[in-house]
Amino acid sequence: MPAQAVMGVVEGFYGSQSVWALHRLGVLARLEETVETSRLAGEFGLDEETLGAVLDYVRRTTGLLVREGPGHRLAPQCRPYRLVAFQLDKFLGAYGPAATRLEDVLRDPASAPALRDHDALARAFGRLRPAAPSVIARVLRAWDVTSLLDLGCGAATLLVELARADPRFRGLGADASPDMVRVAGDRIRRTGLADRLTVTCGDVREPAALPAPGKVRALHGRSLLNEFFAGDGGDAVRVLTGLGARYPGRLLFLEDYYGRLTHDRPAAESPGHTLAQDLAQVLSGQGVPPPDLPGWGRVYEAADCALVKAYEGHNDGITWFVHVVAL
């Protein structure tokens, strides 16, 4: 019935607003253990009756919470909370402002990039503590990569993982966001790897400002090209062409995903996560990447690059890949 569909939208709106508020207040992080509502209200200075109703609504509609005796706790699949917090900070914190101002973006898509909250994005990636070894670390090890330039390095998660696993490894990182560079620098210093890892501010759209070619044996980019598919995707081709001119003959290991939104292609599993990512990209002016290997292959061909090998997989509603591309 149409009414059921509408109520699904209403439920989603109330649920997202409730979860986002509880996250920002710190209440959800506190619920890694069971806590009674009265105690939560006292700790955070909140109205107990209203908090109880909100917690019960989140429990009943989202699956994030469970009841344990007189209190609430995060559901087992939501622990540790930092994994949930990453998605909230990314989708609601970094990309949420564009969604709340969708009327403006629909009228003027050029306004979208300025609405992305880069500080929230840096905070999201700063929370990540991925299990090691990661898929990309295993791929790089198989290709005997001991020196790497990580483009869009984010919080330097990969560089730190590689350096910890191999004392021979030397890494460079570049990210266009000063917030990300700050987070990455902090992580590198905390782990005591500053003698082997260096991160600087650099934009792939300006390859001349990236590290000198003589220092770069191979390159890596995670979620690097998906940022450049607005319009006809020509920006993605131009970025690859520029990297090829700067680092000819090097191998570029690209981690990315196959888009779904506006592409009429069946998904191997529920595409909900992919559709959310696609819409976040559209609303922030990045566009939707190609939906399959042939589509990405045409991008590489247009940039005079060659696809050497493709690794693919499915996880959490995303069809991801690692493409090894010869520049």
Side-chain angles (χ1 to χ4, degrees):
M1 294 175 59
Q4 291 176 324
V6 171
M7 289 312 299
V9 173
V10 172
E11 181 180 296
F13 176 78
Y14 282 175
S16 65
Q17 294 300 305
S18 299
V19 169
W20 184 228
L22 293 173
H23 169 68
R24 286 181 294 165
L25 287 166
V27 171
L28 289 182
R30 181 71 176 83
L31 291 177
E32 287 197 308
E33 62 181 8
T34 303
V35 186
E36 295 184 21
T37 301
S38 59
R39 184 176 174 184
L40 281 174
E43 288 183 11
F44 291 93
L46 306 174
D47 178 75
E48 181 179 345
E49 182 178 356
T50 305
L51 176 61
V54 171
L55 289 172
D56 195 40
Y57 185 84
V58 170
R59 177 182 68 85
R60 291 170 181 265
T61 62
T62 70
L64 284 174
L65 301 178
V66 294
R67 284 297 298 267
E68 289 190 352
H72 288 86
R73 188 180 184 187
L74 288 167
Q77 67 270 22
C78 299
R79 307 173 207 156
Y81 182 64
R82 67 173 181 271
L83 302 178
V84 175
F86 166 74
Q87 300 292 5
L88 294 177
D89 283 334
K90 175 184 174 183
F91 283 110
L92 301 186
Y95 296 113
T100 59
R101 294 180 59 181
L102 184 54
E103 297 96 330
D104 296 334
V105 175
L106 285 168
R107 293 188 179 97
D108 179 18
S111 68
L115 296 175
R116 196 186 337 175
D117 188 333
H118 292 280
D119 185 60
L121 200 59
R123 186 166 58 250
F125 280 94
R127 292 180 185 273
L128 284 182
R129 300 290 185 276
S134 62
V135 171
I136 186 59
R138 294 198 296 269
V139 170
L140 291 169
R141 193 169 298 119
W143 288 76
D144 197 29
V145 174
T146 58
S147 175
L148 185 74
L149 168 59
D150 192 7
L151 299 167
C153 65
T157 305
L158 175 62
L159 292 175
V160 168
E161 178 187 356
L162 294 171
R164 280 175 163 170
D166 187 349
R168 302 174 301 159
F169 182 79
R170 299 292 185 273
L172 301 168
D175 201 287
S177 167
D179 295 317
M180 285 293 193
V181 172
R182 171 181 50 78
V183 172
D186 289 344
R187 174 171 285 178
I188 289 170
R189 285 188 290 273
R190 287 198 310 270
T191 53
L193 295 169
D195 60 328
R196 291 192 283 139
L197 303 178
T198 304
V199 175
T200 59
C201 208
D203 193 323
V204 293
R205 290 168 293 191
E206 300 174 1
L210 296 173
K215 297 181 178 181
V216 176
R217 303 284 183 83
L219 301 91
H220 166 263
R222 180 181 184 186
S223 298
L224 178 72
L225 280 192
N226 65 31
E227 185 175 346
F228 302 108
F229 282 99
D232 62 1
D235 285 346
V237 173
R238 284 185 282 275
V239 166
L240 276 175
T241 302
L243 291 175
R246 178 72 164 166
Y247 305 107
R250 277 39 163 220
L251 290 180
L252 169 62
F253 294 80
L254 277 176
E255 285 187 88
D256 225 304
Y257 80 105
Y258 295 127
R260 288 286 176 263
L261 202 62
T262 71
H263 296 307
D264 187 19
R265 292 185 56 84
E269 55 185 58
S270 174
H273 189 168
T274 304
L275 296 179
Q277 178 67 44
D278 286 344
L279 185 59
Q281 295 218 164
V282 170
L283 298 185
S284 57
Q286 299 175 82
V288 179
D292 51 25
L293 182 59
W296 279 88
R298 287 189 288 272
V299 175
Y300 304 143
E301 183 179 0
D304 200 24
C305 299
L307 177 65
V308 179
K309 189 172 180 62
Y311 305 84
E312 299 176 335
H314 308 283
N315 188 39
D316 293 333
I318 291 277
T319 303
W320 56 266
F321 62 76
V322 176
H323 290 169
V324 185
V325 179
L327 295 175

